[in-house]
């Protein structure tokens, strides 16, 4: 593992949903603002997020180490839908769309 200066790097694991909160997508990025824009713009029309119109941020965590964020993404992806909902409700009880935080 490569050691980096504290606070220089930013990585995010995030969950986005569709308008009706029926689909969840979990991803990782080093630029959450840009990544959300890609989901909103359906940059890859054949992608899961474009197909299911998933672009509303409901959950995120910040990390400074890429290995940690990748490990956390794997943990979240292995959770059941019910456990993902619990995780979201702990940070965002009303399931508000949080995209505005990264505009």
């Amino acid at each position: 593992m490569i050691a980096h200066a504290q606070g220089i790097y930013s990585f995010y694991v995030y969950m986005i949903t569709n308008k009706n909160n029926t689909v969840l997508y979990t991803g990782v990025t080093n630029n959450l603002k840009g990544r959300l824009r890609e989901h909103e713009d359906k940059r890859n029309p054949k992608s899961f997020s474009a197909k299911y119109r998933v672009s509303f941020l409901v959950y995120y965590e910040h990390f400074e180490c890429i290995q940690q964020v990748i490990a956390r993404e794997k943990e979240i992806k292995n959770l059941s839908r019910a456990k993902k909902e619990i995780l979201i409700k702990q940070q965002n009880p009303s399931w508000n769309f949080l995209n505005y935080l990264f505009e």
Side-chain angles (χ1 to χ4, degrees), residues 72-88:
R72 183 63 174 145
E73 178 194 29
K74 287 179 183 177
E75 287 176 13
I76 291 172
K77 283 186 172 186
N78 285 325
L79 294 175
S80 66
R81 168 72 189 218
K83 289 184 179 178
K84 289 177 186 177
E85 289 179 3
I86 290 169
L87 191 60
I88 292 166

Side-chain angles (χ1 to χ4, degrees), residues 27-103:
V28 167
T29 185
N30 66 340
N31 178 354
L32 191 52
K33 178 181 177 179
R35 188 68 178 117
L36 291 171
R37 175 74 54 201
E38 289 174 4
H39 286 299
E40 290 169 5
D41 294 345
K42 296 174 184 55
R43 184 128 336 139
N44 180 357
K46 294 184 179 183
S47 69
F48 178 91
S49 61
K51 181 178 179 180
Y52 292 98
R53 299 177 185 202
V54 177
S55 64
F56 300 101
L57 181 67
V58 290
Y59 181 86
Y60 68 94
E61 294 179 36
H62 176 260
F63 295 84
E64 294 177 350
C65 174
I66 187 66
Q67 292 89 348
Q68 290 175 333
V69 76
I70 290 170
R72 183 63 174 145
E73 178 194 29
K74 287 179 183 177
E75 287 176 13
I76 291 172
K77 283 186 172 186
N78 285 325
L79 294 175
S80 66
R81 168 72 189 218
K83 289 184 179 178
K84 289 177 186 177
E85 289 179 3
I86 290 169
L87 191 60
I88 292 166
K89 288 178 184 176
Q90 288 173 343
Q91 184 185 86
N92 183 4
S94 299
W95 283 63
N96 294 321
F97 297 155
L98 305 174
N99 299 55
Y100 70 91
L101 296 173
F102 296 93
E103 291 179 342

